Amino acid sequence: MNSTAGSHGHHISRQYNADLEEVKKHMLEMGGKVEKQLADALDALIRADSGKASGVISEDDVIDSMEMKIDEECNLIIARRQPAASDLRLVLAIIKAIRDLERIADESSKIAKAAIKVSEQGELPNGLIEFRTLGQQVQRALNTALDAFVRHDAEAALSVVQDDQDVDNEYAIAMRAMITYMMEEPSSISHVLNVLWALRAMERIGDHAKNICEHVVYMVVGTDIRHEKLENIADRLSG
Amino acid sequence: MNSTAGSHGHHISRQYNADLEEVKKHMLEMGGKVEKQLADALDALIRADSGKASGVISEDDVIDSMEMKIDEECNLIIARRQPAASDLRLVLAIIKAIRDLERIADESSKIAKAAIKVSEQGELPNGLIEFRTLGQQVQRALNTALDAFVRHDAEAALSVVQDDQDVDNEYAIAMRAMITYMMEEPSSISHVLNVLWALRAMERIGDHAKNICEHVVYMVVGTDIRHEKLENIADRLSG
């Protein structure tokens, strides 16, 4: 339909492109907002700052409505504009990516909830802030994922998929530190469990950032790379 | 396009309906398979049966390919058949539901991994099998969700969304039992943590079953009910 000649066709096509740009812009606004939620949640946890943590929790509603609005925009584009090929892949990638963004915001709220519980029990002892590196890693993964989405950069996206192993390793290190701490100080168990849940949330955020990158690769090269061997994909991208 | 008169139009329309039926059938096959994975994983955990647990983990690949295949089928239907209105909602609901199913399978694998670790340390002590009720609840939630999908039953779907609160309560009860256990037996901490991860996985499975139900409501009544007050939705369905 978009190739129809004449001014009417032109008009439709211009409007169609504007719709696509608009929904992409909204997704990136949502992405920026989610990045801020994550940064604030991690900061609240490290500083045991319950005020900041409450802010993260109450902002979660804003993210939820952003997701629903964008999802609806995508549905309308598919229904009215019947996009094909790469445009359709873009719209479907957005539909999936916003779900991952919404989950990242959810997990950030969980970190914020843990921060509030932690703040009730005073600041975290030194042995418990082993999660700082993990927090930075997942923030970087999310940032790279969003950036790769804007620039349609499959290789950058793939680097996040590859780095996810580092996130998992860092998570394992932090977990071991927590277990040791609990064994040495059984009275600290419920305190430490709050940190454990926060760690788990960070690890999941890393997974969701990885998912977004998989959507980017699908959008750019048209193949679904989930569950595929990394070497194969890297070969295909460079080949 | 599907309303085109004449035998060609008829032919397209028949093929189109067959495509829709086919993808729905595939989704339900995937659902049945995921139900089995969950049942086996829970059973493996309760019996500390590492053989059964390994079976669950190795079958996870099958679920992954099912999801990718169905996702691709849905993309093709949208691209070639340009479904509108309720057909489009069906296809989009399937795209989303299969992601939740795949996640449920993932969480079932996590339960199976916990079962293997548990089996290495012998059977679970009595205080640690508080999760049985929770396991049954989430199995029922998944079953009802899939059933509501087949029958396009928004009210049944809504009941799962409502019951999710019970799942969360049961989860809290089981969690408290674990914490008490760890405090009394610090040497059991890493043993108990395996069960904690399994509990957490069950709780997430409940969330994903709830998500599927939200997709059912969207598919049937065309509104996105996530993040909405339950009373409002129930009123609208009965109104």
Side-chain angles (χ1 to χ4, degrees):
Chain A
M1 174 157 42
N2 303 302
S3 60
T4 312
S7 75
H8 182 61
H10 248 308
H11 178 72
I12 288 174
S13 157
R14 213 160 51 205
Q15 181 56 45
Y16 169 61
N17 284 329
D19 285 356
L20 284 180
E21 282 309 311
E22 191 74 4
V23 73
K24 228 166 105 178
K25 200 184 95 197
H26 291 161
M27 187 204 119
L28 292 170
E29 280 166 5
M30 180 181 174
K33 177 96 187 147
V34 171
E35 281 189 299
K36 175 143 194 331
Q37 290 284 91
L38 173 57
D40 286 352
L42 290 170
D43 199 47
L45 181 62
I46 288 169
R47 297 171 197 280
D49 178 344
S50 67
K52 194 165 218 171
S54 306
V56 171
I57 294 165
S58 66
E59 281 297 289
D60 195 44
D61 281 353
V62 179
I63 310 258
D64 290 344
S65 9
M66 283 174 128
E67 191 215 348
M68 291 206 292
K69 189 168 160 277
I70 299 169
D71 195 54
E72 191 53 34
E73 284 178 73
C74 289
N75 293 356
L76 283 178
I77 291 178
I78 295 179
R80 292 191 187 149
R81 310 283 179 194
Q82 304 170 341
S86 71
D87 286 347
L88 178 58
R89 289 207 305 273
L90 168 67
V91 178
L92 292 172
I94 292 177
I95 289 181
K96 290 171 185 172
I98 55 173
R99 281 197 78 189
D100 285 300
L101 285 174
E102 193 255 348
R103 297 292 174 86
I104 292 176
D106 263 5
E107 300 292 340
S108 301
S109 287
K110 286 185 198 165
I111 296 173
K113 279 176 197 154
I116 290 177
K117 293 212 168 146
V118 162
S119 76
E120 288 163 3
Q121 298 160 308
E123 268 194 58
L124 288 176
N126 257 331
L128 291 185
I129 33 184
E130 306 277 353
F131 58 78
R132 264 191 282 205
T133 318
L134 181 61
Q136 284 157 3
Q137 280 174 337
V138 299
Q139 281 186 288
R140 202 163 47 236
L142 174 58
N143 187 267
T144 312
L146 290 170
D147 207 48
F149 207 114
V150 194
R151 294 187 287 109
H152 285 243
D153 184 341
E155 294 197 31
L158 202 63
S159 76
V160 172
V161 179
Q162 284 160 333
D163 290 349
D164 192 55
Q165 192 55 52
D166 297 341
V167 170
D168 291 345
N169 292 342
E170 197 60 40
Y171 170 70
I173 291 170
M175 280 295 301
R176 274 198 296 275
M178 304 293 137
I179 293 174
T180 310
Y181 198 92
M182 283 194 279
M183 290 180 139
E184 284 166 2
E185 311 255 2
S187 64
S188 73
I189 289 179
S190 43
H191 198 137
V192 179
L193 279 182
N194 292 320
V195 184
L196 275 193
W197 301 139
L199 279 177
R200 194 79 167 177
M202 291 177 214
E203 189 250 49
R204 295 200 71 91
I205 289 173
D207 281 346
H208 288 296
K210 188 177 88 167
N211 291 347
I212 295 176
C213 290
E214 288 167 344
H215 307 323
V216 172
V217 176
Y218 165 75
M219 172 176 80
V220 178
V221 297
T223 18
D224 195 337
I225 60 161
R226 289 172 303 160
H227 325 302
E228 221 188 295
K229 282 222 175 67
L230 279 175
E231 307 84 89
N232 302 350
I233 310 160
D235 278 358
R236 212 158 51 217
L237 284 183
S238 63
Chain B
M1 176 158 39
N2 303 301
S3 59
T4 311
S7 75
H8 182 60
H10 248 306
H11 178 71
I12 288 175
S13 158
R14 212 161 52 208
Q15 182 57 44
Y16 169 60
N17 285 328
D19 284 356
L20 283 180
E21 282 309 311
E22 190 75 3
V23 73
K24 227 165 106 177
K25 202 184 95 196
H26 290 160
M27 187 203 118
L28 292 169
E29 280 166 7
M30 180 181 173
K33 179 94 187 146
V34 171
E35 280 189 300
K36 176 143 194 331
Q37 290 283 91
L38 172 58
D40 286 351
L42 290 170
D43 199 47
L45 182 62
I46 289 170
R47 296 173 198 280
D49 177 343
S50 66
K52 194 164 219 172
S54 306
V56 172
I57 294 166
S58 66
E59 281 297 289
D60 194 43
D61 281 353
V62 180
I63 310 256
D64 290 344
S65 4
M66 283 174 128
E67 191 215 347
M68 291 206 293
K69 189 167 160 277
I70 299 169
D71 194 53
E72 191 52 36
E73 285 179 72
C74 289
N75 292 357
L76 283 178
I77 291 179
I78 296 179
R80 291 190 188 149
R81 308 286 179 194
Q82 304 171 339
S86 70
D87 286 347
L88 178 58
R89 287 207 306 273
L90 167 66
V91 177
L92 292 173
I94 292 177
I95 288 182
K96 290 171 185 172
I98 55 173
R99 282 197 79 189
D100 284 300
L101 286 174
E102 193 256 347
R103 298 290 174 87
I104 293 176
D106 262 6
E107 300 292 339
S108 301
S109 287
K110 286 185 197 164
I111 297 174
K113 279 176 197 155
I116 290 177
K117 294 214 167 146
V118 163
S119 76
E120 288 163 4
Q121 298 161 307
E123 270 195 55
L124 287 176
N126 257 332
L128 292 185
I129 34 183
E130 307 276 355
F131 58 78
R132 265 190 283 205
T133 318
L134 181 62
Q136 283 157 5
Q137 281 174 337
V138 300
Q139 281 186 288
R140 201 163 50 236
L142 174 58
N143 188 268
T144 311
L146 290 169
D147 207 49
F149 207 114
V150 195
R151 294 187 287 107
H152 285 243
D153 184 341
E155 292 196 31
L158 201 63
S159 75
V160 172
V161 179
Q162 284 160 334
D163 290 349
D164 192 54
Q165 191 55 53
D166 298 342
V167 170
D168 291 345
N169 293 342
E170 198 60 40
Y171 171 70
I173 292 170
M175 279 295 301
R176 273 197 297 274
M178 302 295 136
I179 294 175
T180 311
Y181 198 92
M182 282 195 278
M183 288 181 140
E184 283 165 3
E185 310 256 2
S187 64
S188 73
I189 290 179
S190 43
H191 199 136
V192 178
L193 280 181
N194 292 320
V195 184
L196 275 193
W197 300 139
L199 279 177
R200 193 79 168 178
M202 290 176 215
E203 189 250 36
R204 295 201 70 92
I205 290 172
D207 281 345
H208 287 296
K210 188 176 88 166
N211 291 346
I212 295 176
C213 289
E214 289 168 344
H215 307 323
V216 173
V217 176
Y218 165 75
M219 172 175 81
V220 177
V221 297
T223 18
D224 194 337
I225 59 161
R226 288 171 304 161
H227 325 300
E228 221 190 295
K229 282 223 173 65
L230 279 174
E231 308 84 87
N232 302 349
I233 310 160
D235 279 357
R236 211 157 52 216
L237 284 182
S238 64

